[in-house]
């Protein structure tokens, strides 16, 4: 019998090497980017589920900000359940799936290719059905992931998407050159105070702006699936549009507060929730600059790369909380490694 959480812990620890290996293979990703550049799209669509959906949202920000193209997240059921056949000529479809085994993403990708889209699969399983269905493929190269909760495959997917989109815009990936040692630093940050403080909370709100909104979403998912917390993620802007009314002294708020425009835009939000008595855990490269009960610093990096580092201490908090609450995050109840939807 394995020790609770040992697989999740081991895979969290593998991430610096995984990320470094991905940067070393940036030439392969640049080849895919060159193929995209030869067929410049009018706009981009992204298809994903679960953690990969959060990575796709991150890619949406990258595409709109760095490439200046409109981008959207697809609803696979429009094709799989309702039989829609949209005109996708001159459209880039990026399908993101760690396993490459989700039937709805496979069917959507196959249909999109028939409807004229340039299709790219970003997956940890290049020999998967999804990898074979797409015209182009990016292998995130994270290796086998045993724990049900995605850790190394998530961060590697983020970095692969960044390297791909940066290469499409003609970048040289220099901003990611030091991602391996920075990831090691991010994993060395002490999270025990956060685990001790929040082990008995029943509900938590996670929030972020810009690129870091994806981290807020992934944080809520990790806390829900490993510690069974009632976790809900909001964009900082949306949080002030109504949900803030439910914030009080019994509410824990995990705020992703990095340097850059997104982090700056979140400061007024945190002031508002702090005034309502919320217990704020600030995590990010500017965590020391906002009102919070607990602050977890993350190494500074270009804002568009920050989500790759921000999620690492979040994963350790999720692992620590699960163990402190008596759960085994390697065996979350009711979950399987591959979820098949249509």
């Amino acid at each position: 019998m394995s020790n609770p959480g040992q697989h999740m812990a081991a895979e969290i620890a593998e991430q610096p090497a995984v990320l470094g290996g991905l940067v070393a293979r940036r030439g392969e990703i640049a080849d895919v980017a060159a193929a995209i550049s030869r067929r410049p799209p009018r706009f981009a669509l992204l298809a994903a589920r679960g953690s990969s959906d959060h990575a796709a949202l991150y890619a949406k920000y990258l595409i709109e900000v760095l490439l200046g193209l409109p981008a959207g997240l697809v609803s696979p059921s429009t094709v799989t359940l309702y039989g829609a056949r949209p005109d996708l000529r001159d459209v880039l479809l990026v399908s993101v799936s760690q396993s490459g085994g989700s039937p709805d993403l496979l069917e959507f990708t196959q249909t999109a290719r028939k409807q004229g889209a340039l299709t790219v699969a970003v997956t940890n399983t290049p020999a998967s059905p999804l990898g074979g269905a797409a015209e182009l493929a990016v292998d995130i190269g994270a290796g086998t992931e045993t724990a049900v909760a995605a850790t190394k495959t998530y961060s590697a997917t983020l970095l692969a998407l960044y390297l791909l989109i940066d290469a499409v815009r003609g970048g040289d990936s220099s901003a990611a050159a030091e991602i391996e040692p920075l990831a090691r630093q991010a994993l060395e940050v002490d999270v025990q105070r956060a685990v001790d403080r929040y082990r008995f909370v029943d509900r938590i709100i996670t929030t972020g702006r810009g690129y870091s909104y994806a981290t807020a979403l992934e944080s809520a998912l990790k806390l829900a699936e490993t510690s069974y917390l009632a976790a809900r993620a909001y964009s900082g802007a949306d949080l002030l549009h109504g949900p803030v009314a439910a914030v009080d002294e019994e509410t824990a708020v995990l705020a992703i507060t990095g340097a850059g425009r997104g982090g700056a835009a979140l400061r007024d939000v945190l002031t508002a929730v702090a005034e309502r008595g919320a217990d704020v855990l600030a995590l990010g490269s500017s965590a020391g600059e906002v009102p919070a009960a607990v602050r977890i610093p993350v190494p500074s990096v270009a804002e568009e790369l920050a989500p790759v580092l921000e999620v690492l201490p979040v994963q350790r908090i999720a692992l620590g909380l699960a163990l402190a609450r008596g759960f085994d995050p390697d065996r979350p109840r009711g979950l399987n490694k591959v979820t098949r939807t249509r």
Side-chain angles (χ1 to χ4, degrees), residues 245-299:
V247 173
D248 57 22
E249 294 86 353
E250 302 298 317
T251 308
V253 176
L254 169 55
I256 310 302
T257 57
R261 298 180 184 183
L266 194 65
R267 293 182 186 180
D268 288 345
V269 179
L270 297 185
T271 298
V273 298
E275 289 173 349
R276 298 186 64 84
D279 196 295
V280 177
L281 165 58
L283 186 152
S285 57
S286 65
E289 303 171 18
V290 299
V294 179
R295 298 178 177 88
I296 296 180
V298 175

Side-chain angles (χ1 to χ4, degrees), residues 31-164:
D31 290 341
V32 176
I36 294 171
S37 297
R38 288 192 291 270
R39 290 174 56 182
R42 294 181 291 121
F43 61 89
L45 293 174
L46 298 124
R49 292 288 192 194
S51 286
S52 293
D53 203 34
H54 306 153
L57 178 66
Y58 167 68
K60 179 180 186 296
Y61 276 87
L62 291 174
I63 291 168
E64 293 188 342
V65 176
L66 303 186
L67 300 184
L69 291 176
L73 303 179
V74 307
S75 299
S77 61
T78 59
V79 166
T80 61
L81 298 184
Y82 295 97
R85 294 295 181 266
D87 181 357
L88 298 179
R89 289 172 292 179
D90 301 322
V91 172
L92 172 66
L93 173 72
V94 181
S95 298
V96 187
S97 172
Q98 293 147 11
S99 69
S102 182
D104 53 353
L105 297 185
L106 174 61
E107 184 175 341
F108 192 97
T109 302
Q110 292 170 329
T111 300
R113 188 170 180 178
K114 291 176 182 176
Q115 296 301 112
L118 173 59
T119 53
V120 181
V122 177
T123 176
N124 194 43
T125 315
S128 65
L130 182 64
E135 188 171 342
L136 302 168
V138 173
D139 177 8
I140 69 170
T144 301
E145 191 171 57
T146 304
V148 172
T151 54
K152 64 179 181 175
T153 54
Y154 179 74
S155 60
T157 299
L158 295 182
L159 182 57
L161 289 164
Y162 170 79
L163 293 172
L164 177 66

Side-chain angles (χ1 to χ4, degrees), residues 129-254:
L130 182 64
E135 188 171 342
L136 302 168
V138 173
D139 177 8
I140 69 170
T144 301
E145 191 171 57
T146 304
V148 172
T151 54
K152 64 179 181 175
T153 54
Y154 179 74
S155 60
T157 299
L158 295 182
L159 182 57
L161 289 164
Y162 170 79
L163 293 172
L164 177 66
I165 294 163
D166 180 61
V168 171
R169 70 165 173 169
D172 61 3
S173 68
S174 57
E178 298 300 314
I179 203 71
E180 182 173 355
L182 290 174
R184 294 192 190 283
Q185 291 179 39
L187 286 176
E188 290 168 357
V189 174
D190 185 10
V191 300
Q192 190 59 46
R193 186 181 172 204
V195 172
D196 292 341
R197 188 176 183 90
Y198 300 106
R199 64 178 295 184
F200 296 113
V201 302
D202 294 319
R203 61 191 179 98
I204 188 167
I205 288 173
T206 65
T207 187
R209 289 292 305 271
Y211 297 108
S212 294
Y213 179 36
T215 309
L217 288 163
E218 179 63 10
S219 299
L221 176 59
K222 283 292 161 288
L223 293 169
E225 69 183 351
T226 60
S227 299
Y228 314 140
L229 281 168
R232 181 71 183 269
Y234 293 100
S235 159
D238 289 334
L239 184 57
L240 291 184
H241 275 263
V244 73
V247 173
D248 57 22
E249 294 86 353
E250 302 298 317
T251 308
V253 176
L254 169 55

